[in-house]
Amino acid sequence: MSSLPKAGDFLGHPKGLFLLFGTEMWERFGYYGMRAILVLYLVALVQEGGFGWSNADALSLYGTFTMAVYITPLFGGWLADNVLGQRKAIILGGLLMAAGHFTMGIPHSYLAGQEENVFYIGLTLLCLGNGLFKPNISTMVGDLYKEGDQRRDGAFTIFYMGINLGGALGPLVAGYAAAAMGWQWGFIVAGVGMVISVLLQLALSNKYLGEIGVVPSAKLSQAQSESNTKEPLTKVETDRIKVIFTMSVFSIIFWMGFEQAGGLMNLFANDYTDRMLFNFEVPASWFQSLNSIFIIVFAPLVAIIWLKLDKREPNSPVKFAIALIFLALGFITMILALMTQGQGEHLQISMMWLVLFYLFHTLGELCLSPIGLSMVSKLAPLRLASMLMGIWFLCTAVANKIAGFVGSFLGEGEEALDNAMGIFIGLGATAVLSAVIMYLLSDKLVAWMHGAEGQHEPQTTEHILAEELEVSAEKQ
């Protein structure tokens, strides 16, 4: 580990955490703002500034793109570990992502028949930049703390709140810009968010991060080794890597269902949902903010529940199983919506069904995603930290491609509603079956952690956050 910065603490955590919070918040503002309008832009009529693609083609492209977004961190993590260091990787990645957003924001009238080619260039830049940015900023959060520092898990919750603050604001601002001024303005707004993220790092990283992320971690690990050579993995390290791989694979099932949000559910909100509210038509893209808003609202409540359970608090694998049950409940909500509100090509379901859908999936995410990030940080050997974070994201990549493939069966018109029912039933049943298997494996996985998590050690992200909330409340 690099020497820790001496910039002081804020709210009980190193100030560098809040720099990483802001950096990630603005990056997610850009990414989720772009993602909220991507599919809608692809299916919009050409005369409305879109490409006029079919639902199937748009969802297939969406799945391929989001898969690439989560595959590239594997390579970006390796480059940071062995060549660049996390800090350079984040800056380079941020610049590439900003270039991608702005490329997609070039008006069609300037492109003279090259609209789709330029669009693909923008997507490619986004994927490459994300690969350098995403695994390395998560790894640097863990590097702010010494080994055994229990604040680390609380830090990941604070960091995760930054992700979701950006995720809440991005679709609202970019979605409004796209609806009011044209699709390209939505992408430009996303690019502005990415530029702010890079500027924060350039201006403040030396002061608040010290030497963290400057030296590639593989070189740092070798320098710390007594033999000054790469040592083989120990039995404990091997078992802990098994846990990372096993839980990463099960996360595929969760994200396969969860990531219907930006694709199938985005189209469902656009085409089959009554979005009128007090004479105002809610943009379909705004529903993409619900997940992040719910996380900000409910994360403290979920944290307090875990704390009140005390020694009965579920371990991480059981929380993964609970997450899969919540995933299933979300799809059951949509099944009920279709069963109770009729059929027909012009069906318009109540917005409240979508609100419930996103609520259940958010509760599931709170039981899985921050736990997964913290798990990799705790269990991964130092010399493989960013690469194993990349493996976590690689499984999310597979899930996104499968999500796009499954969503592409939606079809068009009245047929789409019948197909949607089948998709919701299939995803819900898969989630329940996976939850049962994960629950049965939970004891073995905890044993493989070799003390990194135990019944009497409140090591979870939510537990630490809940303690901090109660202390804060007492002070007030």
Side-chain angles (χ1 to χ4, degrees), residues 114-377:
Q114 296 298 313
E115 294 91 344
E116 290 195 13
N117 291 334
V118 172
F119 170 74
Y120 284 124
I121 291 172
L123 286 183
T124 301
L125 290 170
L126 282 174
C127 292
L128 294 174
N130 182 84
L132 289 167
F133 190 101
K134 195 172 186 68
N136 296 305
I137 195 161
S138 298
T139 301
M140 287 173 67
V141 173
D143 287 345
L144 285 167
Y145 301 86
K146 294 180 180 179
E147 186 173 352
D149 190 335
Q150 291 191 345
R151 295 180 302 166
R152 178 184 299 204
D153 288 333
F156 272 98
T157 293
I158 294 171
F159 179 70
Y160 204 65
M161 297 289 273
I163 291 175
N164 287 284
L165 183 57
L169 294 174
L172 294 176
V173 179
Y176 177 79
M181 298 182 289
W183 297 109
Q184 274 64 42
W185 281 103
F187 297 125
I188 290 170
V189 165
V192 170
M194 193 65 249
V195 168
I196 295 173
S197 176
V198 172
L199 291 176
L200 282 173
Q201 274 295 303
L202 288 173
L204 301 174
S205 58
N206 286 337
K207 179 177 180 180
Y208 293 112
L209 298 178
E211 296 299 314
I212 288 175
V214 174
V215 180
S217 59
K219 295 180 181 179
L220 188 62
S221 178
Q222 184 174 341
Q224 293 175 348
S225 170
E226 292 181 2
S227 62
N228 201 34
T229 59
K230 290 186 178 180
E231 298 178 350
L233 293 171
T234 65
K235 174 66 165 60
V236 170
E237 288 176 331
T238 301
D239 283 349
R240 288 178 171 179
I241 290 173
K242 288 179 187 176
V243 176
I244 293 173
F245 272 90
T246 302
M247 295 180 72
S248 294
V249 168
F250 271 87
S251 75
I252 293 175
I253 305 298
F254 181 85
W255 296 122
M256 176 182 67
F258 184 90
E259 289 296 340
Q260 297 300 325
L264 184 154
M265 295 306 298
N266 212 0
L267 294 175
F268 204 94
N270 192 58
D271 297 336
Y272 303 111
T273 303
D274 180 4
R275 294 182 280 112
M276 294 304 299
L277 183 66
F278 303 118
N279 296 319
F280 171 71
E281 186 175 31
V282 177
S285 59
W286 282 17
F287 288 91
Q288 299 299 297
S289 288
L290 284 174
N291 168 247
S292 295
I293 292 170
F294 283 148
I295 283 179
I296 294 169
V297 171
F298 288 101
L301 298 179
V302 171
I304 290 171
I305 289 172
W306 296 141
L307 182 61
K308 295 301 181 183
L309 287 174
D310 196 22
K311 294 179 181 180
R312 294 174 295 161
E313 179 184 353
N315 56 47
S316 294
V318 171
K319 287 181 181 178
F320 268 49
I322 295 172
L324 289 163
I325 293 298
F326 277 123
L327 181 74
L329 289 173
F331 289 115
I332 290 171
T333 297
M334 295 309 299
I335 292 169
L336 291 174
L338 292 178
M339 290 176 61
T340 59
Q341 297 208 212
Q343 293 289 324
E345 183 176 351
H346 302 292
L347 169 69
Q348 296 285 285
I349 69 168
S350 167
M351 287 187 289
M352 291 309 300
W353 290 108
L354 265 69
V355 172
L356 284 173
F357 172 87
Y358 284 113
L359 174 60
F360 281 127
H361 280 199
T362 297
L363 294 174
E365 184 182 2
L366 285 169
C367 293
L368 182 142
S369 189
I371 304 245
L373 292 173
S374 183
M375 173 194 69
V376 176
S377 173

